[in-house]
Each structure stands twice: as C-alpha cells, then as structure tokens.
Amino acid sequence: MADVRVTYDRTVDAAYVYFTDPQVRAQAAHMYPCDPVEVGGMINIDFDDQGRVIGIEVLAASSKLPKYLLESAEGQDPESA
C-alpha cells in the first residue's frame, strides 16, 4: 500500500490529502467544490492541468476523517492532540 501525505491545520480544522509524488509540487489548475448538505462540510477536489486529481481538501476534517489520520498528519500540534 502506498503512503499518502496528509496535512492538517487544527486551527481551522482543515486537512489536505495529496495524491501526487511528495517530491513533485503539482499546481492546481482547477478546483471542484463539493458542499453536500447531507454531510455538513465542504470538500474541494483539486485537478492539475491534465485533469488528474492531485488532492482533496476537507473542511470540518475532525468530523469527516478518522482520528488516527489527523493525529499522524503533518502540521499536527502534538501538545493539543
């Protein structure tokens, strides 16, 4: 199984899941916002200029993603976990 890079900002409760090579800094050319009322949160999907998914931003992440994922994410403040 491949490792997936995840960053998390507890201050704004936002996580980003990267689907690109960690060595490559892909730029988002298009963003598709998903705001499903049923889940009570905003999810943004980023695409590169060739239409490939490069990452997903999850707002209200603490209620949408598993706790273990957020605890192991980059940017996690260990004292507030």
Side-chain angles (χ1 to χ4, degrees):
M1 173 183 245
D3 290 331
V4 176
R5 179 176 173 228
V6 178
T7 58
Y8 178 56
D9 184 335
R10 178 182 292 278
T11 306
V12 294
D13 195 18
Y16 197 88
V17 182
Y18 293 82
F19 297 121
T20 57
D21 182 333
Q23 305 303 318
V24 176
R25 291 285 184 205
Q27 292 288 60
H30 307 283
M31 188 265 296
Y32 179 79
C34 304
D35 189 12
V37 174
E38 299 82 26
V39 298
M42 179 69 126
I43 299 168
N44 298 314
I45 305 170
D46 289 335
F47 296 87
D48 67 12
D49 59 356
Q50 296 180 12
R52 294 178 294 218
V53 175
I54 60 172
I56 298 174
E57 178 184 39
V58 180
L59 304 180
S62 62
S63 66
K64 305 293 173 262
L65 297 174
K67 184 177 179 179
Y68 80 89
L69 186 65
L70 298 178
E71 289 175 347
S72 64
E74 296 173 30
Q76 174 68 28
D77 179 4
E79 292 183 22
S80 60

